[in-house]
Amino acid sequence: MTTIASVSNTDAYYLLHEGTQYQSYQFLGAHFEERDGCKGVNFAVWAPNAKEVNVSGSFNGWDGSHHAMAMNEGIWTLFIPELEEGTLYKYEIVTMDGDRYLKSDPYAFHSEVRPETASIVTSLEHYEWQDGVWQENNSSNQHLQQPLLIYEVHLGSWKRKEDGSFYSYVDFADELIDYVLERGYTHIELMPLAEHPLDSSWGYQVTGYYSVTSRFGSPKDFMYFVDQCHQKGLGVIMDWVPAHFCKDVHGLSRFDGTHLYEYADSRKGENPTWGTYIFDYGRPEVVSFLISNALFWLDMYHLDGLRIDAVYSLLTLNFERPEAECIRNEQGGEENLEGIAFLQKLNAVVFARYPDVLMIAEDSSSYPGVTTPVAYGGLGFNYKWNLAYTWHTLEYMKKNQTERSGQEDRLTQSLLGIRDENYVLPYSHDEMDPPTKSLLGKMSGEDNWQRFANLRALYTYTMGHPGKKLLFMGNEFGQMDDWDSEGSLEWELLQFEEHQHFAEFVKQMNHFYIAEKALWELDFEQNGLTSLNADDKEDGLVILLRKSKTNNEQLIIINNFKPETHEGYRLGVEEPGRYQEVFNSDKPEFGGSGMTNANMLETQEWSCQGNPYSIMVNIPPLAGVIFKYIPSEG
């Protein structure tokens, strides 16, 4: 059972102001206490520049004058007896200028369902976790050498009830978990869960960093969901948003009448593209707030990882800023030195407490060392989304087959940098957001058969390419239209044979990936990959050799990105033995043409493509075929 420990105010306040208080949620916010035999709630909020702070709520008719707080070291506190769980409250802030307004609690554990904005007195104690086996089995810190196959989900639009209302966390536990596991995924990644006022922001403009969104139920309902995931063998990753926050008046913006959480200089403190405020990473209390929040989700909800959104915007002072408005740091560069220091501190603290957790950077920059440990000068993440891979592969796949000749380097240039970072290869929600079209909608082709074949070929290539994998919901059965975040996935498509075939292809491909060590054990080692004729300008073929750690398992992945077939194609190989076809995206059960290699292939002492031996293979059109090496006996 996870508990919130009692802390000394003197020590806690000191560490908060030093920027080293990493569990500030244990004393800030609303906490049940007993004083002199009287049970009640202690409220505490950081608002050093306020003239007056009161607690206003459903218990006093929203008249804060009855419950004035006292300040010590910038922290306002008040114990109110006899309050019960579920009590609604806000902080009534009176600024030095005499303005008066209501603010939600930055550390609230629960909030009203939007559009209402009050915080709710809530205890996170006394949930009895049953995931001990999961926690014990996931403490090896060997995930770089393990399969990682992530299903990205926006809970609000995965599936809705017939009346259009949301599923609950309990509903998702009953339906979503088994669906994801049946399809072979190792982890589910949930788009931002922290409370947010606007559905269409998808959760990326947060008002309640410590409050799991009430759209789908209570905090303990979400604990139940995570617990069920773990008991059934599924890891849970959350999108986390420390790069910016929305300007809604009840949130963090100008919290005590001053720029408390955001930079005061609007050039640093505002993101004009997103219309949001940027955290002041140089303020110790803000650093404590954010790092405590990261640990909070790991501590209290047992999450297995955080995907950190918009890392590039933390690294530079001039993210999407017009050149005429660019600013410099004290060293004359464009780097946000405080943002970089925050990320390094974040990862150092998180890994010191949770060495096995996943810290994944969504970073579109070329900043070096994102997954290099902090001790060696890096940012300290253990994974980075390879967005360049996504962009280049999709640009290639959009091209008509007649335009692809000589363009294969769009696919293969990523092979040159597999050791630069520890990469996740993502086909995320950004590739489904209108008006970009779904993945299937991006595929070129003269008809639906070619479009599906192209997507199967792309998926097979991605499975063979070094790096962990992520796929956004709906792409596993070939959603046709853009993703509608205010509706539901197009589940009705599964009544059609071509979508049934495609869903079966993705399911079998995922399970094949999990079973084959050669596809993930040496993802970030140069000796785990060899490119065989990897840039054929005429045939449109990209051929990879993947190996396991012991070299006992070898797979040849042949990818054909043109509609022509290749019967009796001679392929050079390194060692003598036999090769067996073990996966083929062109199988009829996947919707393919059925061109396969049914017989075991024996190597011949016929040098080809720089290798001493070769085999003769049949390569179907617009397809990926995988062969497994079986060494010669003796």
Side-chain angles (χ1 to χ4, degrees), residues 155-188:
L155 290 177
S157 58
W158 183 73
K159 187 177 288 187
R160 292 198 182 186
K161 298 179 180 179
E162 290 186 3
D163 62 1
S165 61
F166 291 130
Y167 271 38
S168 69
Y169 294 121
V170 175
D171 294 330
F172 289 122
D174 292 340
E175 189 169 339
L176 175 60
I177 297 172
D178 289 341
Y179 175 86
V180 173
L181 287 171
E182 182 183 350
R183 281 146 188 81
Y185 294 94
T186 64
H187 290 71
I188 185 169

Side-chain angles (χ1 to χ4, degrees), residues 144 307 311 315 359-371 379 381-388 420-426 467-468 524:
L144 291 176
R307 176 267 199 187
V311 166
L315 300 177
M359 294 294 283
I360 306 171
E362 188 267 321
D363 173 31
S364 58
S365 77
S366 57
Y367 189 90
V370 173
T371 58
L379 293 183
F381 292 95
N382 48 17
Y383 288 107
K384 172 183 174 174
W385 276 18
N386 192 341
L387 296 173
D420 293 347
E421 304 281 1
N422 302 328
Y423 284 121
V424 172
L425 310 181
K468 310 309 181 184
F524 311 113

Side-chain angles (χ1 to χ4, degrees), residues 17 74 165 233 274 404 412 437 512 629:
H17 298 316
S165 61
W274 296 333
R404 289 179 179 175
T412 60
K437 297 185 180 180
F512 177 80
Y629 172 62

